[in-house]
Amino acid sequence: MAKQVSKTYGSALFEVAMENHTLDTTLEEVLFVKQTFLENEELGKLLLHPNIEKEEKIKVIESIYKGKVSDEITGLMTMLVTKGHLREFVPVFDYVIRAIKEEKGIGVAYISSAVELNKEQKGKIEQKLLETTKYQKIEGVYQVDQALIGGLVIRIQDTIVDSSLKTQIANLSKTLL
């Protein structure tokens, strides 16, 4: 259900941004709104509080965001409040962010390595990903996972490339057994 809500509302906002040629502005505004939600725990508690009426929640949203973000984004948030989908704010914004980045040819690669990578290594990985994918730009999200022993695990959307020693050892072990 949650995935369907984020897809339904997120794709609606994405389509409006496409029609209005406002992908860049919408991306900036959605990132801003998402960041304020993630950084301000009290705002989330206020909006999720069951004893606060929907009308009051809408007034809070409008007082914070009206004039700072487009009417489409404010309208989307008030609609989510009205429909009782408050918990879906961040997933809806995540959907919009992914859709806009995909449209703009920006790939987000989640890269796990056994050790911290330096700037040069990250640059080489991102360059190789640019050469082997459809994207014009790669945003690398790096994390260290010492359990990998060595090598990398790279995930872009639903595609995973696992060249870690951990996986190679596991595969070799299965073959030997």
Side-chain angles (χ1 to χ4, degrees):
M1 176 72 174
K3 218 173 194 176
Q4 188 175 3
V5 169
S6 63
K7 183 177 181 184
T8 301
Y9 290 96
S11 60
L13 180 58
F14 173 73
E15 291 300 322
V16 169
M18 285 286 290
E19 288 174 14
N20 295 339
H21 305 289
T22 57
L23 288 177
D24 292 330
T25 305
T26 301
L27 180 60
E28 286 175 25
E29 291 177 354
V30 168
L31 287 168
F32 165 72
V33 172
K34 179 183 172 188
Q35 182 180 357
T36 60
F37 268 87
L38 295 176
E39 289 178 353
N40 192 339
E41 195 174 304
E42 295 301 313
L43 176 60
K45 286 180 182 178
L46 175 77
L47 293 175
L48 289 171
H49 199 284
N51 294 336
I52 298 176
E53 297 293 323
K54 289 180 180 179
E55 293 77 23
E56 287 300 314
K57 293 175 183 181
I58 291 170
K59 286 180 186 175
V60 168
I61 288 171
E62 288 177 346
S63 71
I64 294 172
Y65 296 107
K66 199 92 169 154
K68 293 184 179 127
V69 297
S70 68
D71 291 341
E72 290 84 6
I73 293 175
T74 308
L76 173 71
M77 289 189 291
T78 57
M79 187 181 300
L80 287 169
V81 169
T82 304
K83 299 287 186 180
H85 298 303
L86 284 164
R87 295 190 186 277
E88 301 307 314
F89 272 26
V90 173
V92 168
F93 298 144
D94 285 340
Y95 182 92
V96 174
I97 292 165
R98 280 192 309 273
I100 291 174
K101 285 184 178 183
E102 188 69 25
E103 179 66 27
K104 294 176 67 57
I106 302 169
V108 180
Y110 297 90
I111 303 162
S112 298
S113 60
V115 296
E116 184 73 35
L117 300 173
N118 64 37
K119 193 173 186 174
E120 182 182 332
Q121 292 168 319
K122 291 177 182 179
K124 286 181 181 178
I125 291 168
E126 290 172 15
Q127 184 59 43
K128 188 65 174 175
L129 290 172
L130 286 172
E131 293 168 6
T132 58
T133 64
K134 63 182 180 183
Y135 299 107
Q136 290 88 43
K137 183 179 177 188
I138 294 287
E139 290 180 359
V141 179
Y142 294 89
Q143 110 181 27
V144 174
D145 181 358
Q146 294 176 343
L148 297 178
I149 305 170
L152 299 171
V153 176
I154 301 171
R155 181 176 62 87
I156 300 177
Q157 287 191 344
D158 295 335
T159 304
I160 297 174
V161 177
D162 188 344
S163 67
S164 67
L165 287 178
K166 177 183 177 183
T167 301
Q168 291 177 23
I169 291 170
N171 291 342
L172 182 61
S173 177
K174 285 179 190 174
T175 304
L176 291 174
L177 292 175

